Amino acid sequence: MNNYFFKKFFSFLLLFFTLSICLFADNGTQYTPALYGTFWALVPPIIAIVLALITKEAYSSLFIGIVSGGVLYAGANLEKVTLHVLNDGLIAVLSDSNNVGIIIFLVILGTMVSLMNKAGGSKAFGIWASKKIKSRVGAQLATIILGCLIFIDDYFNCLTVGSVMYPITDKHNISRAKLAYLIDATAAPICIIAPVSSWAAAVSGFVPGEDGFAIFIKAIPYNFYALFTIIMLIMIAVSNSDYGPMKTHELNALNGDLFSDGREIVTPEELSEKDSHGSVLDLVVPIIFLIIFCITGMIYTGGFFAGTNFIEAFSNSVASQGLAIGSMFALILAIIFYVVRKSLTFKECMDSIPDGFKAMVPAILILTFAWSLKAMTDSLGAAPYVAHLMENVAGGLVNMLPAIIFLVGCGLAFATGTSWGTFGILIPIVVAVFENDPQMMIISISACMAGAVCGDHCSPISDTTIMASAGSQCNHVAHVYTQLPYALSVAAISFVSYVIIGYTKSWLIAFPVGVIGVITLLLLARKRAKN
């Protein structure tokens, strides 16, 4: 009943937009929406996010957000709304080579997971790991360690860790929502503090007139959100201090309901009943192929084989293209490996391709809608609006600026679903404001990166959040609302730390205060759970 009411409410809201924006119609040949560069640019993602959290249904929520963006852009002109949503939204994002590269990577990852299951690799790995990992704590720590080791790229991290670890976490009755959180919290937060990663390359490219890579290295200790997230993640796993909706999911998982929806689990054993001779090699070798070739693909796109050094090649790499190229070669070698070992026939390998595609359809659909929603916000001038706000804020409250930048980064990344876009908007402004104060520049750039990762972590329309759901095969909205209390808790602690460091300029004061905040929060959560 509530879902029905809210959908009707937002339908009415769209109608209201249509009627009201008639007043702003622009008949000029060079069309610029009347609401360009205003707060209205952030309304479409807000509508989509609020609807998704209320209805717990992602597809219609995202689509309504996209349509609202079209209405705000084109006013009452139905033809212009339709063309903007289709041509500038859905069709444009599916014509973008980078987006297509990500989709190819997703399909190939899905195919390789299907191959591993059919060959019995997942089953064999689960049996082997069960002898080494004998507790829920061990399974969670193993997931965290693997997530930290795969720091090259967040997409690759999410899908690889999920594929490898879900048989083990299922065996120890860890909910899929918890697995999704473990994956998501070791994706962007790890990549943003790893010097050799696609994220480091992106940030380095957004620092005009400076040594971007050197600034990135110096900024790592001040990236409080990423560091506190990792600390909190480990402490939750060790102390079993879950709270909020995640606590419910974990209690349900202990009773065998890993999805909190009564769904029956299809185990790797059931997927590979036909083959009782699967080996751990049937999982490990394809994963090694994937890691080697994806790294090679990324540095290839950065010009490594044309004479560029390794670090510069990473800085210049195009992650989506590199991952698509690398995963394609990894898939070919994996098929040859399985056929030569007689783990699978060639026909069975080919049958895994549509199976892998079908497994990734939900993630591809949500990604397409999320990209289209971002296209709507771009067409409404979200970036100029936020940049203008930041320039106005920079004039005063200099000591509070790191904390303010953190909040603005959170809000922008949450609304647009993109960390990299947030870097591109805010970092050049920070560099311009603090060009004569190198220490505050480093702190503020860190605050920008931390805020972008935090907003990305919380947002239902973020690529990384969607990938974490896909990698863990968890319901996307369930992942978002179970993760949100954890992310917001760390965000609040990080904000306090940025306020402290803005006034004291001392990492030795701000960081320990944040760590104490994380510990205190979890002790209170544990005490409340016991009560």
Side-chain angles (χ1 to χ4, degrees):
M1 185 66 180
N2 288 337
N3 292 353
Y4 176 79
F5 169 77
F6 281 110
K7 286 185 178 180
K8 286 293 184 183
F9 172 75
F10 278 100
S11 298
F12 170 77
L13 197 60
L14 285 177
L15 180 61
F16 172 76
F17 286 154
T18 304
L19 295 176
S20 63
I21 294 172
C22 290
L23 300 174
F24 300 101
D26 186 355
N27 295 320
T29 54
Q30 186 67 32
Y31 181 75
T32 300
L35 301 176
Y36 185 87
T38 66
F39 173 76
W40 289 96
L42 300 179
V43 168
I46 291 172
I47 289 175
I49 290 166
V50 171
L51 262 180
L53 293 175
I54 292 171
T55 65
K56 296 180 172 56
E57 201 287 308
Y59 304 115
S60 63
S61 302
L62 286 168
F63 185 71
I64 290 172
I66 293 167
V67 173
S68 69
V71 172
L72 287 167
Y73 177 86
N77 189 324
L78 180 60
E79 178 187 7
K80 190 174 288 186
V81 170
T82 304
L83 292 176
H84 184 57
V85 168
L86 288 177
N87 292 343
D88 302 330
L90 295 167
I91 293 174
V93 300
L94 290 175
S95 304
D96 184 273
S97 61
N98 289 328
N99 293 345
V100 173
I102 292 170
I103 291 174
I104 291 171
F105 179 60
L106 274 172
V107 172
I108 292 176
L109 257 293
T111 302
M112 292 193 72
V113 170
S114 178
L115 286 169
M116 293 172 198
N117 288 334
K118 287 183 179 180
S122 298
K123 174 182 177 180
F125 183 77
I127 294 171
W128 174 83
S130 65
K131 297 175 183 177
K132 308 292 182 181
I133 302 171
K134 300 184 181 297
S135 67
R136 298 180 87 248
V137 172
Q140 292 178 69
L141 290 178
T143 305
I144 293 169
I145 291 169
L146 184 60
C148 292
L149 290 175
I150 303 178
F151 53 78
I152 296 297
D153 184 76
D154 54 327
Y155 294 168
F156 184 42
N157 178 305
C158 290
L159 295 171
T160 304
V161 175
S163 303
V164 172
M165 293 306 301
Y166 84 83
I168 300 166
T169 56
D170 284 358
K171 181 179 179 61
H172 290 283
N173 285 5
I174 296 169
S175 68
R176 289 300 180 89
K178 185 64 169 292
L179 175 61
Y181 171 62
L182 296 175
I183 292 170
D184 208 348
T186 53
I190 290 294
C191 291
I192 199 62
I193 58 174
V196 182
S197 72
S198 56
W199 286 56
V203 172
S204 300
F206 290 130
V207 185
E210 303 284 345
D211 184 345
F213 188 74
I215 287 178
F216 180 86
I217 298 296
K218 293 176 182 177
I220 290 173
Y222 300 101
N223 198 319
F224 294 140
Y225 181 80
L227 296 173
F228 294 160
T229 294
I230 296 164
I231 292 170
M232 185 174 183
L233 194 64
I234 295 170
M235 292 185 64
I236 286 176
V238 172
S239 65
N240 190 30
S241 302
D242 291 299
Y243 58 93
M246 187 71 80
K247 183 73 174 177
T248 303
H249 276 250
E250 284 292 87
L251 291 173
N252 291 340
L254 288 172
N255 294 318
D257 184 2
L258 301 189
F259 295 91
S260 288
D261 61 2
R263 189 192 321 176
E264 183 180 352
I265 295 294
V266 179
T267 64
E269 288 85 348
E270 292 168 349
L271 289 171
S272 55
E273 283 179 349
K274 69 159 209 71
D275 185 1
S276 59
H277 303 291
S279 165
V280 172
L281 290 176
D282 290 320
L283 181 138
V284 172
V285 171
I287 291 293
I288 292 173
F289 286 158
L290 201 58
I291 293 171
I292 292 173
F293 282 99
C294 283
I295 293 173
T296 304
M298 288 178 67
I299 61 175
Y300 165 77
T301 62
F304 178 75
F305 298 103
T308 306
N309 67 56
F310 187 83
I311 298 297
E312 287 184 6
F314 249 105
S315 298
N316 299 328
S317 67
V318 182
S320 58
Q321 294 179 18
L323 292 173
I325 293 169
S327 60
M328 181 179 66
F329 280 100
L331 176 61
I332 293 170
L333 284 179
I335 291 173
I336 294 172
F337 174 76
Y338 286 130
V339 172
V340 170
R341 276 176 52 82
K342 298 184 179 178
S343 300
L344 294 172
T345 65
F346 182 73
K347 183 179 184 305
E348 288 171 326
C349 291
M350 292 301 99
D351 289 341
S352 293
I353 296 176
D355 290 343
F357 182 84
K358 285 185 287 187
M360 289 299 174
V361 164
I364 292 171
L365 185 57
I366 293 176
L367 268 178
T368 301
F369 281 165
W371 290 330
S372 300
L373 185 59
K374 182 182 180 299
M376 297 297 104
T377 62
D378 289 345
S379 68
L380 288 167
Y385 171 69
V386 174
H388 179 67
L389 283 181
M390 282 299 303
E391 288 169 355
N392 290 339
V393 170
L397 297 174
V398 173
N399 291 329
M400 281 292 293
L401 205 53
I404 294 170
I405 290 170
F406 175 73
L407 290 182
V408 173
C410 287
L412 184 58
F414 183 81
T416 60
T418 170
S419 296
W420 291 16
T422 303
F423 300 152
I425 294 169
L426 296 184
I427 288 180
I429 297 173
V430 169
V431 172
V433 170
F434 290 111
E435 59 183 347
N436 297 320
D437 189 344
Q439 185 182 13
M440 279 297 285
M441 186 200 312
I442 297 295
I443 293 171
S444 297
I445 287 176
S446 295
C448 171
M449 293 191 292
V453 170
C454 177
D456 181 270
H457 206 184
C458 296
S459 178
I461 60 175
S462 157
D463 292 2
T464 310
T465 310
I466 295 166
M467 295 288 190
S469 302
S472 60
Q473 299 177 32
C474 172
N475 176 274
H476 180 58
V477 178
H479 167 45
V480 172
Y481 76 78
T482 53
Q483 174 173 267
L484 205 52
Y486 294 167
L488 292 177
S489 299
V490 178
I493 295 168
S494 301
F495 175 78
V496 173
S497 294
Y498 281 117
V499 171
I500 293 171
I501 203 167
Y503 284 95
T504 66
K505 309 293 190 299
S506 174
W507 182 89
L508 292 176
I509 296 175
F511 184 77
V513 168
V515 173
I516 292 169
V518 172
I519 295 171
T520 303
L521 173 70
L522 293 180
L523 288 175
L524 291 173
R526 188 174 178 83
K527 182 178 179 181
R528 183 178 179 184
K530 286 183 177 179
N531 292 336

